[in-house]
Amino acid sequence: MKLVVTGATGGAGSWIVDHFASEGHDVVGVDLERPPGERDGVTFLAADLSDQGRAWEVILDHDPDAVIHFAGIPRLGIATGTETFLTNVTTAYHVFEAAGRTGADVIWASSESLYGMPFAAEPFLPDYLPIDEAHPMRPEDGYGTSKLVGEELAAKTVRRYGVSVASIRPSWIQYPGAYPVADERAAFDLATADRSGNFWSYVDVRDVVSIVDAALEAEIDGHEPYLAVAEENYLDRETAAVIEAVFGDLPDECTLDGDESAFSTAKAREELGWEPAHSWREAEGEAPRGPTFLEE
């Protein structure tokens, strides 16, 4: 397939580019700057996708079978809330519109932050546990709101152009040899712990890559969101017990068992045949590695 991958030099985007190139696909990798190295099977382009003309040229000129959109500001705290919102919404609008006009399906990086808890001024309990794709979305910040608007743009693109869009909602992405959740776990004290808006969940970047691959292969009709989260929390403790101790309560509906993640991946398992394969228990001890085209 011919694929356009945005955010090609970013954390998850670079792994996605590397994976699909290794699978023999024809990949166009787009980011604000080209990487220092090259990769067989990949054409790297520098483009600011918040500019409509550049975004449309990148996609329309290459006429891809699918667009994998991972460009944007990846979390709150990197830029102002206003810049984060405007950048993410503008790039999503331009990319989705261009993809729709050329008839390309889209897989893109949404986030679990659109539920509202992760970056809330005071993280709050969900309506039920585990959280699934149908849970109400109540973001209070520019980042989570940008992802909520992005999913509305995805639905609009489906209605107008008849393409499919898969919105991947990852939790906190970790990388082999670089697992900051290890420090979080080491410093965790149940008696003094702050509320965690993502309820101590995470996902390995390789599982993000595999769910994108699964979505690309699946027959998706319309717009569908999918949570991408590891099976367990990163604390090595019972999830419900920790939430109750830190938040002071649990939702009336809570079916969590042991260290099961607070976010459900049942939909991705059932519709995409995907399940997370990596755990902090093994990944934290792995040697650091990543796509070689990022190296000088």
Side-chain angles (χ1 to χ4, degrees):
M1 298 178 71
K2 178 174 283 188
L3 306 174
V4 169
V5 180
T6 74
T9 66
S14 61
W15 281 77
I16 291 167
V17 166
D18 204 47
H19 168 75
F20 284 111
S22 71
E23 293 291 309
H25 297 282
D26 181 3
V27 180
V28 177
V30 186
D31 215 316
L32 289 172
E33 296 182 356
R34 286 171 45 85
E38 299 292 339
R39 175 66 163 89
D40 290 343
V42 182
T43 299
F44 287 108
L45 298 174
D48 181 351
L49 299 176
S50 66
D51 178 90
Q52 180 192 31
R54 295 174 187 177
W56 282 30
E57 183 176 353
V58 161
I59 295 171
L60 296 176
D61 282 4
H62 289 91
D63 192 23
D65 298 298
V67 175
I68 302 171
H69 177 49
F70 269 65
I73 298 175
R75 60 178 173 82
L76 199 66
I78 296 175
T80 64
T82 300
E83 182 179 354
T84 300
F85 176 81
L86 292 175
T87 298
N88 289 351
V89 171
T90 302
T91 55
Y93 185 88
H94 294 333
V95 168
F96 293 173
E97 184 72 11
R101 286 171 181 262
T102 197
D105 293 330
V106 179
I107 303 164
W108 80 291
S110 184
S111 171
E112 102 278 48
S113 298
L114 52 64
Y115 294 110
M117 291 82 79
F119 294 122
E122 182 66 24
F124 51 89
L125 285 172
D127 292 2
Y128 53 83
L129 287 165
I131 301 158
D132 59 16
E133 288 80 359
H135 190 281
M137 295 169 282
R138 308 179 180 109
E140 300 177 2
D141 62 281
Y143 178 73
T145 306
S146 76
K147 296 303 183 179
L148 176 57
V149 174
E151 292 203 11
E152 288 298 320
L153 293 175
K156 182 272 294 183
T157 303
V158 168
R159 289 192 296 270
R160 181 167 184 175
Y161 297 108
V163 298
S164 70
V165 182
S167 295
I168 308 301
R169 298 177 181 174
S171 188
W172 186 11
I173 301 176
Q174 310 290 301
Y175 300 84
Y179 256 60
V181 295
D183 294 333
E184 294 286 328
R185 183 172 56 260
F188 184 81
D189 183 341
L190 190 61
T192 60
D194 292 329
R195 294 183 175 188
S196 168
N198 80 340
F199 310 104
W200 303 277
S201 67
Y202 73 102
V203 66
D204 190 287
V205 67
R206 292 165 290 185
D207 288 326
V208 175
V209 171
S210 68
I211 196 172
V212 169
D213 200 345
L216 186 66
E217 295 296 325
E219 294 292 333
I220 296 173
D221 183 16
H223 169 238
E224 294 291 344
Y226 297 99
L227 280 159
V229 188
E231 289 185 341
E232 69 290 305
N233 68 56
Y234 59 76
L235 293 177
D236 198 22
R237 296 168 179 255
E238 291 191 0
T239 309
V242 172
I243 293 173
E244 185 171 26
V246 175
F247 283 77
D249 201 1
L250 283 172
D252 291 339
E253 181 182 342
C254 177
T255 60
L256 294 175
D257 182 30
D259 66 352
E260 175 187 358
S261 173
F263 294 89
S264 171
T265 56
K267 182 180 178 181
R269 293 170 190 262
E270 294 168 5
E271 297 185 8
L272 303 181
W274 172 88
E275 61 182 50
H278 298 88
S279 169
W280 63 266
R281 291 181 171 86
E282 295 79 36
E284 286 180 3
E286 296 183 22
R289 60 188 178 89
T292 57
F293 61 78
L294 297 179
E295 301 172 0
E296 294 284 355

